[in-house]
Amino acid sequence: MSTHLVWFRRDLRLHDNLALAAACRHRAAHVVALFISTPEQWKNHVMSPRQAAFIQAQLNALQQALAEKGIPLLFEEVDDFAGSIETVKAVCEQHDVSHLFYNYQYEVNERERDAAVEKALPHVVCEGFDDSVILPPGAVTTGNHEMYKVFTPFKNAWLKRLKEGMPECVSAPARRENGSVSSALVPINLHYPQQEFDPALFPAEEKAAIARLRQFCQQGAGEYDECRDFPAIEGTSRLSASLATGGLSPRQCLHRLLAEQPQALDGGAGSVWLNELIWREFYRHLMTYHPNLCKHRPFILWTDRVRWRDRAEDLQAWQEGRTGYPIVDAAMRQLNATGWMHNRLRMIAASFLVKDLLIDCRKGERYFMSQLIDGDLAANNGGWQWAASTGTDAAPYFRIFNPTTQGEKFDREGEFIRRWIPELSHVPGKAIHEPWKWAMKESITLDYPQPIVDHKLARQQTLAAYEAARKN
């Protein structure tokens, strides 16, 4: 009897898992699952302690779910990807594996690891799948068979291609008749720093994640366009953590959205949330065509010549939510306390670091990864390069958010700001966006810093720095 090995990575679920479904297709095969922890690699990639805790909770739920299907989950721990190559080889030899199944990861280190594993297993059939995307990289290209560099034409081509053939979701595997798993499961513990997360906001169990998806598509997706920019209300899906670690597949999101909001494909209700799924696809496809994006390089090469101020005390003030700009500080405090930040706030906070403080966006990108429960290289890098005007389809370098007017526009009465900056809770109404002015007028001393930079002056300095880099 042949043995099929399923190598789980960022695909921690039973439903719509292409590698798992393929491994289980042959009823006579013995199916074994494997997860390899690589703490030193995660450390190099700055994985956040909250994401580590989330993955550990998902792994324990997955172990139980697989056991109920008669599939054992083997857990191994090595330092890095180099060690994981030897581990996969050893597991294949120990279990006499004939076929290895896994879902592709598109980052450079991961692709090199997978190529090395296939080379190390000449007598094992290795099958990889485009599981973390709706349409595989290469499916959507220009007339010259090149990757799109601008989102809107990519989106239009993506939608056209999708309508030609919608990828289906595959079912969770049936229970293996020949499978047997010990009734006493040993809890999986990752040897990596961990920080508590809120399971009500970020469900680790697959059933709970699917329920959250269903609820959002029924109730939130249709109003997403009107609600998504206001951080004081629950207007977003909060599914990004499940997508980042593979607790949900993007195909599940697409099919559930269209089941509840069938007009989403044609620009109707739900189409704006569909746009977010397409942005996710765009950044993943880009990474496969431009691997330098994984190597801390900007897409627009001349922006590498920008002379950053890079003041350590300014970076620290931004990280700790002490810039004197309430909407920025509230955003950073939300991130530090929960491991998550509202998407509008990610744009505001990123713009402030780069365009007001003139600090290299890579330092902000790294800090976000170190904190985010939904940390994902493609999406995080894409978002930061957009904000810094260094990436494909980026905001022009002369478009600079005013942090005060952004606060006034998206948190008009300061409800979100007061939630995260209690020392400003007594500042009335819209005065909260420039509390220092109110305090001066009222002769009150605030337990809150003055702005660390003058936005108008900072804007001029940033424009000069970008213009000098462009001319060099």
Side-chain angles (χ1 to χ4, degrees):
M1 180 172 62
S2 61
T3 298
H4 290 182
L5 179 66
V6 188
W7 183 9
F8 281 89
R9 289 98 75 98
R10 292 233 163 188
D11 47 4
L12 305 178
R13 65 185 186 279
L14 259 59
H15 292 82
D16 195 39
N17 186 318
L18 300 184
L20 177 63
C24 295
R25 204 160 283 142
H26 304 282
R27 290 178 176 241
H30 180 54
V31 179
V32 177
L34 170 68
F35 183 88
I36 305 173
S37 167
T38 52
E40 287 302 313
Q41 194 81 42
W42 294 343
K43 188 177 173 183
N44 291 340
H45 291 170
V46 221
M47 187 170 84
S48 81
R50 277 197 183 85
Q51 189 168 88
F54 187 58
I55 288 172
Q56 180 172 292
Q58 286 178 306
L59 279 170
N60 280 290
L62 178 66
Q63 181 187 42
Q64 180 64 47
L66 284 168
E68 290 168 7
K69 301 290 186 182
I71 301 171
L73 176 62
L74 309 176
F75 175 75
E76 300 288 343
E77 189 164 86
V78 294
D79 282 345
D80 52 25
F81 286 164
S84 68
I85 297 164
E86 291 304 313
T87 299
V88 173
K89 186 178 177 183
V91 169
C92 286
E93 289 172 357
Q94 182 183 346
H95 293 270
D96 197 19
V97 169
S98 61
H99 291 70
L100 172 67
F101 299 84
Y102 59 87
N103 293 314
Y104 293 130
Q105 292 179 284
Y106 302 116
E107 298 87 347
V108 165
N109 295 149
E110 286 80 347
R111 288 163 76 182
E112 289 174 350
R113 173 204 60 198
D114 291 351
V117 164
E118 290 209 14
K119 193 174 180 181
L121 299 173
H123 305 300
V124 175
V125 178
C126 299
E127 293 190 45
F129 300 86
D130 289 294
D131 179 77
S132 70
V133 285
I134 295 169
L135 297 178
V140 180
T141 54
T142 68
N144 295 327
H145 305 291
E146 294 175 352
M147 175 60 198
Y148 285 96
K149 296 177 182 177
V150 178
F151 174 71
T152 300
F154 172 85
K155 180 185 92 168
N156 293 336
W158 188 94
L159 286 168
K160 183 183 177 191
R161 175 77 171 74
L162 185 76
K163 290 174 183 178
E164 290 169 0
M166 184 85 63
E168 292 302 318
C169 290
V170 297
S171 302
R175 178 171 173 79
R176 310 298 293 174
E177 292 175 9
N178 56 5
S180 62
V181 180
S182 169
S183 56
L185 297 177
V186 178
I188 293 172
N189 291 300
L190 303 179
H191 293 104
Y192 190 87
Q194 294 187 32
Q195 205 171 351
E196 283 187 14
F197 66 93
D198 186 346
L201 295 177
F202 309 105
E205 288 194 4
E206 188 174 356
K207 286 180 182 176
I210 291 171
R212 175 176 276 279
L213 170 64
R214 182 178 293 114
Q215 181 186 28
F216 173 75
C217 289
Q218 287 172 348
Q219 300 172 8
E223 300 167 359
Y224 182 74
D225 190 20
E226 296 88 47
C227 301
R228 66 177 177 144
D229 279 324
F230 302 97
I233 60 177
E234 278 292 329
T236 65
S237 71
R238 285 196 189 261
L239 294 169
S240 52
S242 292
L243 278 165
T245 58
L248 287 172
S249 83
R251 291 174 302 281
Q252 287 174 294
C253 294
L254 174 69
H255 280 277
R256 179 47 56 186
L257 174 67
L258 296 180
E260 305 295 345
Q261 311 287 345
Q263 58 276 56
L265 270 184
D266 300 306
S271 62
V272 178
W273 192 63
L274 175 61
N275 252 17
E276 297 300 315
L277 293 176
I278 304 173
W279 270 107
R280 183 179 179 277
E281 299 267 304
F282 182 53
Y283 287 141
R284 279 176 131 62
H285 286 216
L286 268 174
M287 208 163 51
T288 65
Y289 279 85
H290 301 283
N292 274 346
L293 294 175
C294 300
K295 300 177 181 178
H296 313 295
R297 296 300 312 281
F299 190 84
I300 300 173
L301 295 180
W302 67 260
T303 62
D304 227 0
R305 299 193 294 268
V306 173
R307 295 187 66 180
W308 307 106
R309 273 175 58 232
D310 279 347
R311 289 181 58 183
E313 60 269 34
D314 285 357
L315 177 62
Q316 187 176 355
W318 175 82
Q319 290 172 341
E320 295 174 359
R322 296 184 293 101
T323 69
Y325 285 91
I327 194 66
V328 174
D329 293 341
M332 296 307 294
R333 294 186 194 189
Q334 180 186 43
L335 173 66
N336 294 333
T338 69
W340 185 83
M341 189 192 289
H342 186 279
N343 190 54
R344 166 58 59 175
L345 300 181
R346 295 188 197 205
M347 292 190 279
I348 295 170
S351 176
F352 184 83
L353 183 76
V354 178
K355 303 282 181 74
D356 281 77
L357 300 182
L358 203 56
I359 289 175
D360 191 333
C361 74
R362 287 165 283 209
K363 295 189 176 181
E365 179 189 349
R366 185 178 179 86
Y367 186 71
F368 267 29
M369 283 299 281
S370 77
Q371 299 297 313
L372 286 169
I373 191 170
D374 62 1
D376 174 272
L377 176 63
N380 191 47
N381 177 269
W384 272 96
Q385 291 219 32
W386 181 90
S389 307
T390 63
T392 177
D393 205 63
Y397 72 90
F398 48 81
R399 184 177 297 159
I400 298 175
F401 282 172
N402 180 320
T404 303
T405 55
Q406 287 286 308
E408 290 169 346
K409 187 174 181 180
F410 298 113
D411 191 31
R412 184 179 296 179
E413 298 299 324
E415 184 184 343
F416 179 81
I417 290 169
R418 287 186 184 85
R419 191 181 305 166
W420 292 104
I421 311 179
E423 57 266 41
L424 294 181
S425 58
H426 61 292
V427 180
K430 298 172 187 175
I432 200 164
H433 299 292
E434 295 180 296
W436 55 91
K437 288 186 178 180
W438 173 82
M440 192 180 298
K441 184 180 175 184
E442 298 293 325
S443 300
I444 290 172
T445 301
L446 286 175
D447 181 23
Y448 181 71
Q450 290 276 329
I452 62 173
V453 67
D454 177 88
H455 172 69
K456 191 174 180 182
L457 180 61
R459 186 179 186 280
Q460 294 168 352
Q461 292 172 338
T462 295
L463 289 174
Y466 272 78
E467 282 161 11
R470 195 164 61 112
K471 288 172 184 173
N472 281 346

